[in-house]
Coordinates of all heavy atoms in Angstrom, one line a residue:
M1 N 67.8 -36.2 241.8 CA 69.0 -35.5 241.4 C 69.1 -35.5 239.9 O 70.1 -35.3 239.4 CB 70.2 -36.2 242.0 CG 70.3 -36.2 243.4 SD 72.0 -36.6 243.9 CE 72.3 -35.3 245.0
D2 N 68.0 -35.7 239.2 CA 68.0 -35.7 237.7 C 67.8 -34.3 237.3 O 67.0 -33.5 237.8 CB 66.9 -36.6 237.2 CG 66.9 -36.8 235.7 OD1 67.9 -36.4 235.1 OD2 66.0 -37.3 235.2
G3 N 68.6 -33.8 236.3 CA 68.5 -32.5 235.7 C 67.4 -32.4 234.7 O 67.2 -31.3 234.1
G4 N 66.7 -33.4 234.4 CA 65.6 -33.4 233.4 C 66.1 -33.7 232.0 O 65.3 -34.2 231.2
D5 N 67.4 -33.5 231.7 CA 67.9 -33.8 230.3 C 68.8 -35.0 230.3 O 69.7 -35.2 229.5 CB 68.6 -32.6 229.8 CG 69.8 -32.2 230.6 OD1 70.0 -32.7 231.8 OD2 70.6 -31.4 230.2
G6 N 68.7 -35.9 231.4 CA 69.5 -37.1 231.4 C 70.8 -36.8 232.2 O 71.6 -37.7 232.3
T7 N 71.0 -35.6 232.7 CA 72.2 -35.3 233.5 C 71.9 -35.5 235.0 O 70.8 -35.6 235.4 CB 72.7 -33.8 233.3 OG1 71.6 -33.0 233.7 CG2 73.1 -33.6 231.9
M8 N 73.0 -35.7 235.7 CA 72.9 -35.9 237.1 C 73.6 -34.8 237.8 O 74.7 -34.4 237.4 CB 73.6 -37.2 237.5 CG 73.5 -37.6 238.9 SD 74.3 -39.2 239.2 CE 72.9 -40.2 239.2
R9 N 72.9 -34.2 238.8 CA 73.5 -33.0 239.4 C 74.3 -33.5 240.6 O 73.8 -34.1 241.5 CB 72.4 -32.0 239.8 CG 72.9 -30.8 240.5 CD 72.0 -29.6 240.2 NE 72.5 -28.4 240.8 CZ 73.5 -27.6 240.3 NH1 74.0 -27.9 239.2 NH2 73.8 -26.5 240.9
L10 N 75.6 -33.1 240.6 CA 76.5 -33.4 241.8 C 77.1 -32.1 242.2 O 78.0 -31.7 241.5 CB 77.5 -34.5 241.4 CG 77.1 -35.8 241.0 CD1 78.2 -36.7 240.5 CD2 76.4 -36.5 242.1
G11 N 76.6 -31.5 243.2 CA 77.2 -30.3 243.6 C 76.9 -29.2 242.6 O 75.8 -29.0 242.1
A12 N 78.0 -28.6 242.1 CA 77.8 -27.6 241.0 C 78.0 -28.2 239.6 O 78.0 -27.5 238.6 CB 78.8 -26.5 241.2
L13 N 78.2 -29.5 239.6 CA 78.5 -30.2 238.3 C 77.3 -30.9 237.8 O 76.5 -31.5 238.5 CB 79.6 -31.2 238.5 CG 81.0 -30.7 239.0 CD1 81.9 -31.9 239.2 CD2 81.6 -29.7 238.0
N14 N 77.0 -30.7 236.5 CA 76.0 -31.5 235.8 C 76.8 -32.5 234.9 O 77.5 -32.1 234.0 CB 75.1 -30.6 234.9 CG 74.2 -29.8 235.7 OD1 73.7 -30.2 236.8 ND2 74.0 -28.6 235.3
L15 N 76.6 -33.8 235.2 CA 77.4 -34.8 234.5 C 76.4 -35.7 233.7 O 75.4 -36.1 234.2 CB 78.2 -35.7 235.4 CG 79.2 -34.9 236.3 CD1 79.9 -35.9 237.3 CD2 80.3 -34.3 235.4
K16 N 76.8 -36.1 232.5 CA 76.1 -37.1 231.7 C 76.3 -38.4 232.3 O 77.3 -38.6 233.0 CB 76.5 -37.1 230.3 CG 76.3 -35.8 229.5 CD 74.9 -35.7 229.1 CE 74.6 -34.4 228.3 NZ 73.3 -34.1 228.1
P17 N 75.4 -39.4 232.2 CA 75.6 -40.7 232.8 C 76.9 -41.4 232.5 O 77.5 -42.0 233.3 CB 74.4 -41.5 232.3 CG 73.3 -40.5 232.0 CD 74.1 -39.3 231.5
D18 N 77.4 -41.2 231.3 CA 78.7 -41.8 230.9 C 79.9 -41.1 231.6 O 81.0 -41.7 231.6 CB 78.9 -41.8 229.4 CG 79.0 -40.4 228.8 OD1 78.4 -39.5 229.4 OD2 79.7 -40.3 227.8
R19 N 79.7 -40.0 232.3 CA 80.8 -39.3 233.0 C 80.6 -39.4 234.5 O 81.5 -38.9 235.2 CB 80.7 -37.8 232.6 CG 80.9 -37.4 231.2 CD 82.3 -37.5 230.8 NE 83.1 -36.5 231.6 CZ 84.3 -36.2 231.4 NH1 85.0 -36.7 230.4 NH2 84.9 -35.3 232.1
V20 N 79.6 -40.1 235.0 CA 79.4 -40.2 236.4 C 80.6 -41.0 237.0 O 80.9 -42.1 236.4 CB 78.1 -40.9 236.8 CG1 78.0 -41.1 238.3 CG2 76.9 -39.9 236.3
G21 N 81.2 -40.6 238.0 CA 82.2 -41.3 238.7 C 83.6 -40.8 238.2 O 84.6 -41.4 238.5
G22 N 83.7 -39.8 237.5 CA 85.0 -39.3 237.1 C 85.2 -39.2 235.6 O 84.4 -38.7 234.9
L23 N 86.3 -39.8 235.2 CA 86.7 -39.7 233.8 C 85.9 -40.7 232.9 O 85.2 -41.5 233.4 CB 88.2 -40.1 233.7 CG 89.1 -39.2 234.5 CD1 90.6 -39.7 234.5 CD2 89.1 -37.7 234.0
D24 N 86.1 -40.5 231.6 CA 85.4 -41.4 230.7 C 85.8 -42.9 231.0 O 86.8 -43.2 231.7 CB 85.9 -41.1 229.3 CG 85.3 -39.8 228.8 OD1 84.3 -39.4 229.2 OD2 86.0 -39.2 227.9
S25 N 85.0 -43.8 230.5 CA 85.2 -45.2 230.9 C 86.6 -45.8 230.4 O 87.1 -46.7 231.0 CB 84.1 -46.0 230.3 OG 84.0 -45.9 228.9
G26 N 87.1 -45.2 229.3 CA 88.4 -45.7 228.8 C 89.4 -44.6 228.7 O 89.1 -43.4 228.7
P27 N 90.7 -45.0 228.8 CA 91.7 -44.0 228.7 C 91.8 -43.3 227.3 O 91.6 -44.0 226.3 CB 93.0 -44.7 229.0 CG 92.7 -46.1 228.6 CD 91.2 -46.3 228.9
D28 N 92.0 -42.0 227.3 CA 92.1 -41.3 226.0 C 93.5 -40.9 225.8 O 94.0 -39.9 226.2 CB 91.2 -40.0 226.1 CG 91.1 -39.3 224.8 OD1 91.6 -39.9 223.7 OD2 90.5 -38.2 224.7
V29 N 94.2 -41.8 225.0 CA 95.6 -41.6 224.8 C 95.9 -40.5 223.8 O 97.0 -40.0 223.6 CB 96.3 -42.9 224.4 CG1 96.4 -43.9 225.5 CG2 95.7 -43.5 223.1
S30 N 94.9 -40.1 223.0 CA 95.1 -39.0 222.0 C 95.3 -37.7 222.7 O 95.8 -36.8 222.0 CB 93.9 -39.0 221.1 OG 92.7 -38.5 221.8
V31 N 95.1 -37.5 223.9 CA 95.2 -36.3 224.6 C 96.7 -36.0 224.9 O 97.2 -34.9 224.8 CB 94.5 -36.3 226.0 CG1 94.8 -35.0 226.8 CG2 93.0 -36.4 225.7
S32 N 97.5 -37.1 225.1 CA 98.9 -36.9 225.4 C 99.7 -36.8 224.1 O 99.6 -37.6 223.2 CB 99.4 -38.0 226.3 OG 99.3 -39.2 225.7
S33 N 100.6 -35.9 224.0 CA 101.5 -35.7 222.9 C 102.7 -36.6 223.0 O 103.0 -37.1 224.1 CB 101.9 -34.3 222.7 OG 102.8 -33.9 223.8
P34 N 103.4 -36.8 221.9 CA 104.6 -37.6 222.0 C 105.6 -37.0 223.0 O 106.3 -37.8 223.7 CB 105.2 -37.6 220.6 CG 104.0 -37.3 219.7 CD 103.1 -36.5 220.6
V35 N 105.7 -35.7 223.1 CA 106.6 -35.1 224.0 C 106.2 -35.4 225.5 O 107.0 -35.7 226.3 CB 106.7 -33.5 223.8 CG1 107.5 -32.8 224.9 CG2 107.2 -33.2 222.4
T36 N 104.9 -35.3 225.7 CA 104.4 -35.6 227.1 C 104.7 -37.1 227.4 O 105.1 -37.4 228.6 CB 102.9 -35.4 227.1 OG1 102.6 -34.0 226.8 CG2 102.3 -35.7 228.5
R37 N 104.5 -38.0 226.5 CA 104.8 -39.4 226.8 C 106.3 -39.6 227.0 O 106.7 -40.4 227.9 CB 104.3 -40.3 225.6 CG 102.8 -40.4 225.6 CD 102.3 -41.5 224.7 NE 102.6 -41.2 223.3 CZ 101.9 -40.5 222.4 NH1 100.7 -40.1 222.8 NH2 102.3 -40.3 221.2
Q38 N 107.1 -38.9 226.3 CA 108.5 -39.0 226.5 C 109.0 -38.5 227.8 O 109.8 -39.1 228.5 CB 109.3 -38.2 225.3 CG 110.8 -38.4 225.4 CD 111.4 -37.6 224.2 OE1 110.8 -36.7 223.6 NE2 112.7 -37.9 224.0
K39 N 108.4 -37.4 228.2 CA 108.7 -36.8 229.5 C 108.2 -37.7 230.7 O 108.9 -37.9 231.7 CB 108.1 -35.4 229.7 CG 108.7 -34.3 228.9 CD 108.1 -33.0 229.1 CE 108.8 -31.9 228.3 NZ 108.1 -30.6 228.5
A40 N 107.1 -38.3 230.5 CA 106.6 -39.3 231.5 C 107.5 -40.5 231.6 O 107.8 -40.9 232.7 CB 105.1 -39.7 231.2
A41 N 107.9 -41.0 230.5 CA 108.8 -42.1 230.5 C 110.2 -41.8 231.1 O 110.7 -42.6 231.9 CB 109.1 -42.6 229.1
A42 N 110.7 -40.6 230.9 CA 111.9 -40.1 231.5 C 111.7 -40.0 233.0 O 112.6 -40.3 233.8 CB 112.4 -38.8 230.9
A43 N 110.6 -39.4 233.4 CA 110.3 -39.3 234.9 C 110.2 -40.6 235.5 O 110.8 -40.8 236.6 CB 109.1 -38.5 235.1
K44 N 109.6 -41.5 234.9 CA 109.4 -42.9 235.4 C 110.8 -43.5 235.6 O 111.1 -44.1 236.6 CB 108.5 -43.7 234.5 CG 108.4 -45.2 235.0 CD 107.6 -46.0 234.0 CE 107.5 -47.4 234.4 NZ 107.0 -48.3 233.4
Q45 N 111.6 -43.4 234.6 CA 113.0 -44.0 234.6 C 113.8 -43.4 235.7 O 114.5 -44.1 236.5 CB 113.7 -43.8 233.3 CG 115.0 -44.5 233.1 CD 114.8 -46.0 233.2 OE1 113.9 -46.6 232.5 NE2 115.7 -46.7 233.9
F46 N 113.7 -42.0 235.9 CA 114.5 -41.3 236.9 C 114.1 -41.9 238.3 O 114.9 -42.1 239.1 CB 114.2 -39.8 236.8 CG 114.8 -39.1 238.0 CD1 116.1 -38.7 238.0 CD2 114.0 -38.7 239.1 CE1 116.7 -38.0 239.1 CE2 114.6 -38.0 240.1 CZ 115.9 -37.7 240.1
I47 N 112.7 -42.0 238.5 CA 112.2 -42.4 239.8 C 112.7 -43.9 240.1 O 113.1 -44.2 241.2 CB 110.7 -42.3 239.9 CG1 110.3 -40.8 239.9 CG2 110.1 -43.0 241.1 CD1 108.9 -40.5 239.7
E48 N 112.6 -44.7 239.1 CA 113.0 -46.1 239.3 C 114.5 -46.2 239.6 O 114.9 -46.9 240.5 CB 112.7 -46.9 238.0 CG 111.2 -47.2 237.8 CD 110.9 -47.9 236.5 OE1 111.8 -48.0 235.7 OE2 109.7 -48.2 236.3
N49 N 115.3 -45.5 238.9 CA 116.7 -45.5 239.1 C 117.1 -44.9 240.5 O 117.9 -45.4 241.2 CB 117.5 -44.7 238.1 CG 117.5 -45.4 236.7 OD1 117.3 -46.6 236.7 ND2 117.8 -44.6 235.7
H50 N 116.4 -43.8 240.9 CA 116.6 -43.2 242.2 C 116.4 -44.2 243.3 O 117.2 -44.4 244.2 CB 115.7 -42.0 242.4 CG 115.8 -41.4 243.7 ND1 116.8 -40.6 244.2 CD2 114.9 -41.5 244.8 CE1 116.6 -40.3 245.4 NE2 115.5 -40.8 245.8
Y51 N 115.2 -44.9 243.3 CA 114.9 -45.9 244.4 C 115.8 -47.1 244.3 O 116.1 -47.7 245.3 CB 113.4 -46.2 244.4 CG 112.7 -45.0 245.1 CD1 112.0 -44.1 244.3 CD2 112.7 -44.8 246.4 CE1 111.3 -43.1 244.9 CE2 112.1 -43.8 247.1 CZ 111.4 -42.9 246.3 OH 110.7 -41.9 246.9
K52 N 116.1 -47.5 243.1 CA 117.0 -48.7 243.0 C 118.4 -48.4 243.6 O 118.9 -49.2 244.4 CB 117.2 -49.0 241.5 CG 118.1 -50.2 241.3 CD 118.3 -50.4 239.8 CE 119.4 -51.5 239.5 NZ 119.7 -51.6 238.1
N53 N 118.9 -47.2 243.3 CA 120.2 -46.8 243.9 C 120.1 -46.6 245.4 O 121.0 -46.9 246.1 CB 120.7 -45.5 243.2 CG 121.1 -45.7 241.8 OD1 121.4 -46.8 241.3 ND2 121.0 -44.6 241.0
Y54 N 119.0 -46.0 245.8 CA 118.8 -45.8 247.3 C 118.8 -47.2 248.0 O 119.4 -47.3 249.0 CB 117.5 -45.1 247.5 CG 117.1 -45.0 249.0 CD1 117.7 -44.1 249.8 CD2 116.1 -45.8 249.5 CE1 117.4 -44.0 251.2 CE2 115.8 -45.8 250.9 CZ 116.4 -44.9 251.7 OH 116.1 -44.8 253.0
L55 N 118.0 -48.1 247.5 CA 117.9 -49.4 248.2 C 119.3 -50.2 248.1 O 119.6 -50.9 249.1 CB 116.8 -50.3 247.5 CG 115.4 -49.7 247.8 CD1 114.4 -50.5 247.0 CD2 115.1 -49.7 249.3
Q56 N 120.0 -50.0 247.0 CA 121.3 -50.7 246.9 C 122.3 -50.1 247.9 O 123.0 -50.8 248.6 CB 121.9 -50.5 245.5 CG 123.2 -51.2 245.3 CD 123.1 -52.7 245.5 OE1 122.2 -53.4 244.9 NE2 123.9 -53.3 246.3
G57 N 122.2 -48.8 248.1 CA 123.1 -48.1 249.1 C 122.7 -48.5 250.5 O 123.6 -48.8 251.3
L58 N 121.5 -48.7 250.7 CA 121.0 -49.1 252.1 C 121.5 -50.6 252.3 O 122.1 -50.8 253.4 CB 119.5 -49.1 252.1 CG 118.8 -49.5 253.4 CD1 119.2 -48.5 254.5 CD2 117.3 -49.5 253.3
Q59 N 121.4 -51.4 251.3 CA 121.9 -52.8 251.5 C 123.4 -52.8 251.7 O 124.0 -53.5 252.6 CB 121.6 -53.6 250.3 CG 122.0 -55.1 250.4 CD 121.6 -55.9 249.2 OE1 120.9 -55.4 248.3 NE2 122.0 -57.1 249.1
D60 N 124.2 -52.0 250.9 CA 125.6 -51.9 251.1 C 126.0 -51.4 252.5 O 126.9 -52.0 253.1 CB 126.2 -50.9 250.1 CG 126.1 -51.5 248.6 OD1 125.8 -52.7 248.5 OD2 126.3 -50.7 247.7
R61 N 125.3 -50.4 253.0 CA 125.6 -49.9 254.4 C 125.4 -51.0 255.4 O 126.2 -51.2 256.4 CB 124.8 -48.7 254.7 CG 125.2 -47.4 254.0 CD 124.6 -46.2 254.5 NE 123.1 -46.2 254.5 CZ 122.4 -45.9 253.4 NH1 123.0 -45.4 252.3 NH2 121.1 -45.9 253.5
K62 N 124.3 -51.7 255.3 CA 124.0 -52.8 256.2 C 125.1 -53.9 256.2 O 125.5 -54.4 257.2 CB 122.7 -53.5 255.9 CG 121.5 -52.6 256.3 CD 120.2 -53.3 256.0 CE 119.0 -52.5 256.4 NZ 117.7 -53.1 256.1
E63 N 125.6 -54.2 255.0 CA 126.6 -55.2 254.9 C 127.9 -54.7 255.5 O 128.6 -55.5 256.2 CB 126.9 -55.6 253.4 CG 125.7 -56.4 252.8 CD 125.9 -56.6 251.3 OE1 127.0 -56.4 250.8 OE2 124.9 -57.1 250.7
R64 N 128.3 -53.4 255.3 CA 129.5 -52.9 255.9 C 129.4 -52.9 257.4 O 130.4 -53.1 258.1 CB 129.7 -51.5 255.3 CG 130.2 -51.4 253.9 CD 130.7 -50.1 253.5 NE 129.8 -49.0 253.8 CZ 128.9 -48.5 252.9 NH1 128.9 -49.0 251.7 NH2 128.1 -47.5 253.2
R65 N 128.2 -52.5 257.9 CA 128.0 -52.5 259.4 C 128.2 -53.9 260.0 O 128.9 -54.1 261.0 CB 126.6 -51.9 259.7 CG 126.4 -51.9 261.2 CD 125.1 -51.3 261.6 NE 124.9 -51.2 263.0 CZ 124.8 -50.1 263.7 NH1 124.8 -48.9 263.0 NH2 124.7 -50.1 265.0
R66 N 127.6 -54.9 259.3 CA 127.7 -56.3 259.8 C 129.2 -56.7 259.8 O 129.7 -57.4 260.7 CB 126.9 -57.2 258.9 CG 125.4 -57.3 259.4 CD 124.7 -58.4 258.7 NE 123.5 -57.7 258.0 CZ 123.2 -57.7 256.7 NH1 123.9 -58.4 255.9 NH2 122.2 -57.1 256.3
A67 N 129.9 -56.4 258.7 CA 131.3 -56.7 258.6 C 132.1 -56.1 259.7 O 133.0 -56.7 260.3 CB 131.9 -56.4 257.2
L68 N 131.8 -54.8 260.0 CA 132.5 -54.1 261.1 C 132.2 -54.7 262.4 O 133.1 -54.9 263.2 CB 132.2 -52.6 261.0 CG 132.8 -51.7 262.1 CD1 134.3 -51.7 261.9 CD2 132.3 -50.3 262.0
Q69 N 131.0 -55.0 262.7 CA 130.6 -55.6 263.9 C 131.3 -57.0 264.1 O 131.7 -57.4 265.2 CB 129.1 -55.8 264.0 CG 128.4 -54.4 264.3 CD 126.9 -54.6 264.2 OE1 126.3 -55.5 263.6 NE2 126.2 -53.6 264.9
R70 N 131.3 -57.8 263.0 CA 132.0 -59.1 263.1 C 133.5 -58.9 263.4 O 134.0 -59.7 264.2 CB 131.7 -59.8 261.7 CG 132.0 -61.2 261.7 CD 131.6 -62.0 260.4 NE 131.6 -61.1 259.2 CZ 130.5 -60.7 258.6 NH1 129.3 -61.1 259.0 NH2 130.6 -60.0 257.5
K71 N 134.1 -58.0 262.7 CA 135.5 -57.7 262.9 C 135.8 -57.3 264.4 O 136.7 -57.7 265.0 CB 136.0 -56.6 261.9 CG 137.4 -56.2 262.1 CD 138.3 -57.3 261.5 CE 139.8 -56.7 261.5 NZ 140.7 -57.7 261.8
A72 N 134.9 -56.4 264.9 CA 135.1 -56.0 266.3 C 134.9 -57.1 267.3 O 135.7 -57.2 268.3 CB 134.0 -54.9 266.6
Q73 N 134.0 -58.1 267.0 CA 133.9 -59.2 267.9 C 135.1 -60.1 267.8 O 135.6 -60.7 268.8 CB 132.6 -60.0 267.5 CG 131.3 -59.3 268.0 CD 130.1 -60.0 267.6 OE1 130.1 -60.9 266.8 NE2 129.0 -59.6 268.2
E74 N 135.6 -60.3 266.6 CA 136.8 -61.2 266.4 C 138.0 -60.6 267.1 O 138.8 -61.4 267.6 CB 137.1 -61.3 264.9 CG 136.1 -62.2 264.1 CD 136.3 -62.2 262.6 OE1 137.3 -61.5 262.2 OE2 135.5 -62.8 261.9
D75 N 138.1 -59.3 267.1 CA 139.3 -58.6 267.7 C 139.0 -58.4 269.2 O 139.9 -57.9 269.9 CB 139.5 -57.3 267.1 CG 140.0 -57.4 265.6 OD1 140.4 -58.5 265.2 OD2 140.0 -56.4 264.9
Q76 N 137.9 -58.9 269.7 CA 137.5 -58.8 271.1 C 137.6 -57.4 271.7 O 138.2 -57.2 272.7 CB 138.4 -59.8 272.0 CG 138.2 -61.2 271.6 CD 139.0 -62.2 272.3 OE1 139.9 -61.8 273.1 NE2 138.7 -63.5 272.2
I77 N 137.0 -56.5 270.9 CA 137.0 -55.1 271.3 C 135.9 -55.0 272.4 O 134.8 -55.5 272.2 CB 136.7 -54.2 270.1 CG1 137.9 -54.3 269.2 CG2 136.5 -52.7 270.6 CD1 137.8 -53.5 267.9
P78 N 136.1 -54.3 273.5 CA 135.0 -54.1 274.5 C 133.8 -53.5 273.9 O 133.8 -52.7 273.0 CB 135.7 -53.2 275.5 CG 137.1 -53.2 275.3 CD 137.3 -53.6 273.9
T79 N 132.6 -53.8 274.5 CA 131.3 -53.3 274.0 C 131.3 -51.8 274.0 O 130.7 -51.2 273.0 CB 130.2 -53.8 274.9 OG1 130.3 -55.3 275.0 CG2 128.9 -53.5 274.3
E80 N 131.8 -51.1 275.0 CA 131.8 -49.7 275.0 C 132.5 -49.1 273.8 O 132.1 -48.1 273.2 CB 132.4 -49.1 276.3 CG 131.8 -49.6 277.6 CD 132.3 -51.0 278.1 OE1 133.5 -51.2 277.8 OE2 131.5 -51.7 278.6
E81 N 133.7 -49.7 273.5 CA 134.5 -49.2 272.4 C 133.7 -49.5 271.1 O 133.8 -48.7 270.1 CB 135.8 -50.0 272.4 CG 136.8 -49.5 271.3 CD 137.4 -48.1 271.7 OE1 137.4 -47.7 272.9 OE2 137.8 -47.4 270.7
Q82 N 133.1 -50.6 271.0 CA 132.3 -51.0 269.8 C 131.2 -49.9 269.5 O 130.9 -49.5 268.4 CB 131.7 -52.4 269.9 CG 132.7 -53.5 269.8 CD 132.0 -54.8 269.9 OE1 130.8 -55.0 269.6 NE2 132.7 -55.8 270.3
E83 N 130.5 -49.5 270.6 CA 129.4 -48.6 270.5 C 129.9 -47.2 270.0 O 129.2 -46.5 269.3 CB 128.7 -48.5 271.8 CG 127.9 -49.7 272.1 CD 127.2 -49.6 273.5 OE1 127.3 -48.6 274.1 OE2 126.5 -50.6 273.9
R84 N 131.1 -46.8 270.4 CA 131.7 -45.6 270.0 C 132.0 -45.7 268.5 O 131.8 -44.9 267.7 CB 132.9 -45.2 270.7 CG 132.6 -44.5 272.0 CD 133.8 -43.8 272.5 NE 134.8 -44.9 273.0 CZ 136.0 -44.6 273.2 NH1 136.5 -43.5 273.1 NH2 136.8 -45.6 273.6

């Protein structure tokens, strides 16, 4: 699979040995502009906040349900009524 000039042929691609397996061996941060990095940071913050709020809401709902079930048992409400 050698192209004769040190390249390796993979399908329709001719890759130099330092490019085999995908991207360069190290990250190239010079490609991203400050605006791109700022947008990425904003997107990351949005996603983190979204899931944090989602999980907090889920926990709050579970606590409210447990409190309601506990109150229904204390008031000796019939099971059929509790299910409604």
Side-chain angles (χ1 to χ4, degrees):
M1 296 195 130
D2 187 12
D5 61 350
T7 60
M8 181 178 263
R9 180 146 181 84
L10 296 173
L13 300 174
N14 289 322
L15 302 174
K16 297 280 184 192
D18 63 330
R19 300 280 299 189
V20 173
L23 301 174
D24 291 331
S25 58
D28 186 7
V29 293
S30 65
V31 174
S32 62
S33 69
V35 173
T36 302
R37 287 192 296 272
Q38 185 179 16
K39 287 180 180 181
K44 178 182 175 192
Q45 187 67 43
F46 173 81
I47 292 168
E48 288 174 353
N49 288 340
H50 174 77
Y51 282 102
K52 179 182 173 188
N53 293 337
Y54 173 77
L55 293 175
Q56 183 63 49
L58 183 63
Q59 183 178 354
D60 292 346
R61 285 192 304 274
K62 286 181 181 180
E63 289 175 14
R64 288 192 305 268
R65 182 180 180 115
R66 278 188 235 122
L68 181 62
Q69 287 174 334
R70 195 173 26 249
K71 177 77 171 143
Q73 287 177 346
E74 289 172 0
D75 293 345
Q76 297 178 349
I77 296 175
T79 306
E80 302 84 34
E81 186 73 22
Q82 287 181 24
E83 290 177 2
R84 274 195 292 165

